[in-house]
Amino acid sequence: MIKTEDYPLSRVPQDKKVSFFSVAIVYMGALTSLDQFMLGAVLGNSMTLTDAFTALFVASLIFCVVTYGLGIAGMREGISGSLLARWCGFGRLGAALVGLVVAVSLLGWFGIQNAIFAKSLDFALGHKLGFNTAAILSGGLLTILVAFGFKALRIAARVSVPIFILLVAYISFKILTGNNVPDINQLTAVGDTLSTGEGITIVMGGAIMASLVTPDLTRYSKNDKHVLGVIFIGIIVGKCTVNGLAILIAKTLGTADVVSIMSQAVGITGLLVVVFSTLKVNDLNLYCSSLGIVNAVEGLTGKKLKYLSTTLVIGGLGTTLSVLGILDRFVDFLTVLGVVLPPIIGIMLTDYYVLRSHRKILDMSRLEGKLPDETQTPVIGWLAIISSIVGSIVGVVTEWGIPTINSLLAASLIYWLFKVAVNRNQKLVGSEKAI
């Protein structure tokens, strides 16, 4: 059994930082995964080729910027994203709520990935297991893997990432050979039509969770250059390539069903590779979800949960979501994530880089290899929570622009205005008392 300390409630010590490759392969595994292939297939099946690639380009550009900001903060502070939120506007209890949002969102991803795993496995075995049995077996296997910790993720990713990339390359060559882009562009969308704005939102919804949990991985990185390299490889080389190929393949075949695509292209062997490829992203979903729950419970109750037991419980809940049919709500799930999570990220970036509310405290405690103590940690950041809620509402109700950008910018601006007004009022009160 591999025993690894994952530092859910402390900084990663400098001597525990790992190589660029160790972090990059896990991060690329998350963004060259089956869910990204599914996302690209939805775009290709529901949009024109031009609109689909426009949505992918715009969303990826936004994703790169916000992810790099959070990645650098995670590397510098050596702490996870949900823990970092304590000193980025949300406070102890607010960060606990962020941890819950992360955990619940990743539970949804775990359920979706596990459903694809189970569907593929059941199909490959001639429907002898049945979907529910396959889902329970696959969910249990992945949960046990993640219980081993971060080191197990690196081992799994090193094996499964290359295999999945080779499979996608082979399928792309087989299906797209003889079909040029102009001909593919003439094919009509088969699925429910999506606008460019809706496409950008679901692309962001499919990637924004990776942005929020980027510090969970880059806290193991050694410097800024490593973080930049990790994000470049993950997003530009990995995510955009997989999304783009999936768009072309889905448009050519006229379906967004991953199991159907794989079975048509490479038969049972391909489906078995798909089953294995889900390993690398679902272990990351469960790993980061466990960190979010540990942080949330500690923030709300002061009780420190055991990583192993927390992972086992969350894995069971995610498996249940698979059995209940979360895969059928894939697009709806992405749309919700695309307007709910960007406000949290926008506020964290605004507080950490613009307002710098707790940077001095973080800097001083970092020199000691510790976290700021209780007296230096705000209990709850109401302004951040309110701004997040308002930003999400703006993203949902506004009919102009792009929902995911609207929610991120609205929350960031509202939070900045709130903080400036409060700080100015505090200075006025202080001046009056001095007089």
Side-chain angles (χ1 to χ4, degrees), residues 172-357:
S172 301
F173 175 78
K174 183 174 182 179
I175 294 177
L176 299 179
T177 298
N179 293 286
N180 55 48
V181 174
D183 290 339
I184 297 175
N185 193 36
Q186 297 300 316
L187 299 173
T188 58
V190 177
D192 295 334
T193 303
L194 295 172
S195 67
T196 302
E198 291 171 333
I200 292 172
T201 298
I202 68 169
V203 173
M204 284 295 292
I208 202 67
M209 179 52 66
S211 181
L212 189 56
V213 301
T214 292
D216 295 15
L217 299 179
T218 59
R219 64 197 178 119
Y220 287 95
S221 296
K222 295 179 179 180
N223 54 53
D224 294 16
K225 292 181 179 179
H226 282 195
V227 174
L228 180 61
V230 164
I231 291 172
F232 176 80
I233 290 176
I235 297 176
I236 305 301
V237 178
K239 171 184 165 54
C240 289
T241 300
V242 172
N243 284 162
L245 290 173
I247 289 172
L248 294 172
I249 291 170
K251 178 68 73 176
T252 301
L253 296 181
T255 180
D257 189 329
V258 173
V259 175
S260 176
I261 290 173
M262 297 297 175
S263 61
Q264 287 185 53
V266 286
I268 299 300
T269 301
L271 286 177
L272 291 176
V273 174
V274 169
V275 168
F276 186 62
S277 70
T278 60
L279 190 68
K280 68 183 185 302
V281 67
N282 237 3
D283 54 16
L284 187 60
N285 288 335
L286 200 52
Y287 169 76
C288 294
S289 181
S290 298
L291 292 181
I293 288 292
V294 169
N295 173 54
V297 172
E298 197 272 342
L300 292 172
T301 68
K303 183 178 180 181
K304 297 182 179 181
L305 296 178
K306 297 290 186 180
Y307 172 77
L308 176 61
S309 57
T310 302
T311 300
L312 293 175
V313 171
I314 294 175
L317 293 174
T319 302
T320 301
L321 287 177
S322 300
V323 176
L324 293 178
I326 190 174
L327 181 61
D328 297 332
R329 313 298 302 179
F330 183 57
V331 174
D332 295 335
F333 176 70
L334 294 183
T335 301
V336 170
L337 293 186
V339 295
V340 171
L341 297 182
I344 295 174
I345 294 174
I347 289 169
M348 290 178 65
L349 292 174
T350 299
D351 193 278
Y352 191 81
Y353 290 104
V354 180
L355 297 171
R356 301 169 67 91
S357 302

Side-chain angles (χ1 to χ4, degrees), residues 114-186:
N114 191 54
I116 288 292
F117 189 127
K119 186 177 179 182
S120 302
L121 181 61
D122 186 43
F123 185 93
L125 297 178
H127 302 290
K128 294 179 181 179
L129 282 178
F131 173 77
N132 290 348
T133 301
I136 292 171
L137 289 175
S138 60
L141 173 64
L142 290 171
T143 300
I144 291 172
L145 170 71
V146 178
F148 287 110
F150 188 81
K151 189 173 182 178
L153 300 187
R154 299 202 304 263
I155 294 171
R158 281 176 173 151
V159 175
S160 56
V161 169
I163 291 177
F164 183 74
I165 291 174
L166 288 174
L167 176 68
V168 171
Y170 173 73
I171 292 174
S172 301
F173 175 78
K174 183 174 182 179
I175 294 177
L176 299 179
T177 298
N179 293 286
N180 55 48
V181 174
D183 290 339
I184 297 175
N185 193 36
Q186 297 300 316

Side-chain angles (χ1 to χ4, degrees), residues 34-46 52 56 203 242-248 250-251 256 330:
L34 190 61
D35 64 307
Q36 293 302 317
F37 192 90
M38 289 169 58
L39 174 57
V42 169
L43 295 180
N45 198 48
S46 305
L56 176 59
V203 173
V242 172
N243 284 162
L245 290 173
I247 289 172
L248 294 172
K251 178 68 73 176
F330 183 57

Side-chain angles (χ1 to χ4, degrees), residues 366-394:
R366 186 169 63 249
L367 294 175
E368 300 176 352
K370 300 178 180 178
L371 292 177
D373 60 35
E374 293 295 325
T375 62
Q376 298 172 311
T377 304
V379 177
I380 187 168
W382 285 113
L383 297 182
I385 294 173
I386 293 171
S387 299
S388 294
I389 294 173
V390 174
S392 297
I393 293 173
V394 169

